[in-house]
Amino acid sequence: MATGTKRDYYDVLEVSRGAEVDEIKKAYRRLAVKYHPDKNPGNPEAEERFKEASEAYAVLSDPEKRARYDRFGHQAIGGEGFTGFDSEVFVDFADILGDLFGLGDLFGTRRRSDPSRPRRGSDLRYTMSITLEEAATGIERKIRVPRLEACGACSGSGVEPGTSPETCPACGGRGQVAFRRGFLTVAQTCTRCGGRGKVVQHPCKACGGRGRVEREVNLEVRIPPGVDSGVRLRLNGEGEAGVLGGRSGDLYVVVAVEPHELFERQGPDLHLVRPISVYQAILGDRTTLKTVLDEEKELEIPAGAQPGQVLRVRGAGMPQLNSRGRGDLYVHLDVKIPTSMSTEEHQLIQRAAELAGDDLAPDEGFLQRLKRKLANEG
Ligand SMILES: [Zn+2]
Ligand SMILES: [Zn+2]
């Protein structure tokens, strides 16, 4: 998409740069009603204005995209993280315009009364399940996608090779029929040919005139490091083929990260339960642990470590999506009390116990912590 010739989004919607969301919504609604393709059949300029307004609205109604646009202009929008419309935006359009035009997708996948008009192909959704390690390193994976592709026999036209569409008998090829209403002569789009002026008398035998056939394709998908469940990656134009020259839909790969047996993820941070001996807890220890990226990190257990104490290893968590940063690793200490000991060990512990005495003052802090924990869980 050329960005050099694009009009300023605020100019397109005829609002000031400081306009509130409501104002933007109202402005878009007004323009959308005026230029909607259903109201302006066969008027390419209106269609262009409608698309332009829709695009401006998609950006300016989203605080994040709007902020980026305010800072960087159109360049910001072609870049990372935003590649145009997405289906969330479609939902917004439907919300705004649904009561005016009837619910449905305004950008072509809705069934129109006119079957001979170019329609955009459907978007496809593919859920990809990956491990936490794969989410941390990022991966490339081949997937098989069944989808509708343009028919090879008729190149998607739906017309039997060797024949061509014929002049519409209803309108004589003009695409419009005139009728009188009172004093006025009104031109209306021809319903037989949908305004195209031609009708297909010999549909393609390979695809039954639909112009598309079902086929399975192999695609290579690159998953960047740091993805989390629910992240959607858009593969432009890899959805279903459009109809009669309409453009292809997009493929959305939705990531699902499987639970891990050791690590629990919390955004960019990871949590890990680490069993330690009672001696390590009493005396302290310098040991190591493995991160999700299989790096060896030093873990310093302080002398007098308590059961359940949490140690933070900075920068040992998940890589962050689209950034060099990394989350932290929280290590929850699980102090193991030995259940059997050698005689000598037992004697030494007994001796230590005698030296320490058995008077432990009641620990108010522990009780308070317990109460807080129960209250939080309740
Ligand atoms: Zn065909
Ligand atoms: Zn016609």
Side-chain angles (χ1 to χ4, degrees), residues 178-187:
F179 65 94
R180 290 187 68 79
R181 178 173 282 170
F183 305 106
L184 296 170
T185 303
V186 182

Side-chain angles (χ1 to χ4, degrees), residues 361-372:
D363 183 353
E364 294 257 340
F366 181 78
L367 188 61
Q368 292 308 324
R369 281 199 302 278
L370 182 64
K371 280 181 176 168
R372 250 203 322 273

Side-chain angles (χ1 to χ4, degrees), residues 260-299:
H260 194 274
E261 56 174 354
L262 296 178
F263 295 106
E264 180 75 27
R265 182 175 189 175
Q266 212 167 44
D269 298 328
L270 291 174
H271 294 257
L272 175 72
V273 174
R274 173 62 176 255
I276 62 169
S277 76
V278 72
Y279 307 114
Q280 285 177 301
I282 294 167
L283 302 171
D285 194 13
R286 182 168 288 181
T287 177
T288 59
L289 54 74
K290 284 278 178 75
T291 69
V292 68
L293 287 172
D294 209 32
E295 311 138 308
E296 198 159 279
K297 290 268 177 184
E298 202 161 87
L299 181 69

Side-chain angles (χ1 to χ4, degrees), residues 150-161 203-213:
C151 170
C154 63
S155 312
S157 69
V159 183
E160 178 68 11
C204 167
K205 289 188 188 77
C207 61
R210 288 185 299 275
R212 301 188 298 178
V213 286

Side-chain angles (χ1 to χ4, degrees), residues 219-362:
L219 292 175
E220 181 135 321
V221 180
R222 201 183 65 80
I223 306 284
V227 291
D228 206 344
S229 288
V231 166
R232 302 187 325 162
L233 305 163
R234 185 169 120 150
L235 277 71
N236 249 317
E238 295 290 2
E240 300 205 310
V243 178
L244 300 171
R247 67 187 180 87
S248 294
D250 300 323
L251 172 68
Y252 290 92
V253 175
V254 184
V255 174
V257 181
E258 296 159 10
H260 194 274
E261 56 174 354
L262 296 178
F263 295 106
E264 180 75 27
R265 182 175 189 175
Q266 212 167 44
D269 298 328
L270 291 174
H271 294 257
L272 175 72
V273 174
R274 173 62 176 255
I276 62 169
S277 76
V278 72
Y279 307 114
Q280 285 177 301
I282 294 167
L283 302 171
D285 194 13
R286 182 168 288 181
T287 177
T288 59
L289 54 74
K290 284 278 178 75
T291 69
V292 68
L293 287 172
D294 209 32
E295 311 138 308
E296 198 159 279
K297 290 268 177 184
E298 202 161 87
L299 181 69
E300 180 134 7
I301 301 167
Q306 300 294 311
Q309 189 171 337
V310 183
L311 306 177
R312 176 157 78 164
V313 186
R314 283 180 189 276
M318 289 296 283
Q320 304 209 44
L321 195 59
N322 300 330
S323 121
R324 289 163 166 273
R326 250 178 101 174
D328 298 328
L329 175 61
Y330 291 90
V331 183
H332 299 246
L333 297 181
D334 180 17
V335 179
K336 294 293 185 194
I337 312 291
T339 50
S340 69
M341 283 185 266
S342 69
T343 313
E344 194 183 356
E345 241 181 316
H346 198 272
Q347 283 167 353
L348 287 170
I349 294 287
Q350 187 123 42
R351 180 69 190 129
E354 283 161 17
L355 289 173
D358 55 4
D359 296 331
L360 274 181

Side-chain angles (χ1 to χ4, degrees), residues 43-62:
N43 179 347
E45 200 200 322
E47 195 174 330
E48 215 35 63
R49 298 295 289 271
F50 178 73
K51 280 186 193 154
E52 193 182 44
S54 301
E55 186 183 322
Y57 176 72
V59 173
L60 298 186
S61 63
D62 179 314

Side-chain angles (χ1 to χ4, degrees), residues 57-300:
Y57 176 72
V59 173
L60 298 186
S61 63
D62 179 314
E64 223 173 88
K65 288 170 191 166
R66 182 178 178 181
R68 221 174 323 154
Y69 176 74
D70 286 346
R71 284 185 65 193
F72 305 114
H74 288 295
Q75 272 86 341
I77 309 304
E80 201 171 280
F82 179 69
T83 48
F85 299 126
D86 57 32
S87 45
E88 276 147 13
V89 176
F90 293 149
V91 171
D92 285 348
F93 290 151
D95 281 351
I96 288 191
L97 301 170
D99 51 337
L100 287 172
F101 300 104
L103 283 172
D105 178 354
L106 300 171
F107 294 90
T109 47
R110 178 169 52 136
R111 298 216 184 290
R112 293 177 184 276
S113 51
D114 169 12
S116 63
R117 186 166 173 160
R119 296 196 303 277
R120 182 179 178 274
S122 300
D123 291 335
L124 296 175
R125 178 195 165 102
Y126 184 99
T127 302
M128 184 186 285
S129 189
I130 62 173
T131 65
L132 187 67
E133 283 90 347
E134 289 170 333
T137 56
I139 50 157
E140 285 185 6
R141 189 181 284 177
K142 282 199 173 68
I143 59 174
R144 289 178 75 77
V145 181
R147 67 183 182 195
L148 288 171
E149 298 217 303
C151 170
C154 63
S155 312
S157 69
V159 183
E160 178 68 11
T163 72
S164 49
E166 284 156 39
T167 302
C168 172
C171 63
R174 286 185 302 278
Q176 295 197 319
V177 284
F179 65 94
R180 290 187 68 79
R181 178 173 282 170
F183 305 106
L184 296 170
T185 303
V186 182
Q188 199 183 38
T189 305
C190 171
T191 50
R192 175 81 191 273
C193 64
R196 290 161 61 88
K198 302 227 180 248
V199 287
V200 176
Q201 304 283 28
H202 305 280
C204 167
K205 289 188 188 77
C207 61
R210 288 185 299 275
R212 301 188 298 178
V213 286
E214 202 159 316
R215 198 167 291 155
E216 258 194 9
V217 289
N218 289 311
L219 292 175
E220 181 135 321
V221 180
R222 201 183 65 80
I223 306 284
V227 291
D228 206 344
S229 288
V231 166
R232 302 187 325 162
L233 305 163
R234 185 169 120 150
L235 277 71
N236 249 317
E238 295 290 2
E240 300 205 310
V243 178
L244 300 171
R247 67 187 180 87
S248 294
D250 300 323
L251 172 68
Y252 290 92
V253 175
V254 184
V255 174
V257 181
E258 296 159 10
H260 194 274
E261 56 174 354
L262 296 178
F263 295 106
E264 180 75 27
R265 182 175 189 175
Q266 212 167 44
D269 298 328
L270 291 174
H271 294 257
L272 175 72
V273 174
R274 173 62 176 255
I276 62 169
S277 76
V278 72
Y279 307 114
Q280 285 177 301
I282 294 167
L283 302 171
D285 194 13
R286 182 168 288 181
T287 177
T288 59
L289 54 74
K290 284 278 178 75
T291 69
V292 68
L293 287 172
D294 209 32
E295 311 138 308
E296 198 159 279
K297 290 268 177 184
E298 202 161 87
L299 181 69
E300 180 134 7

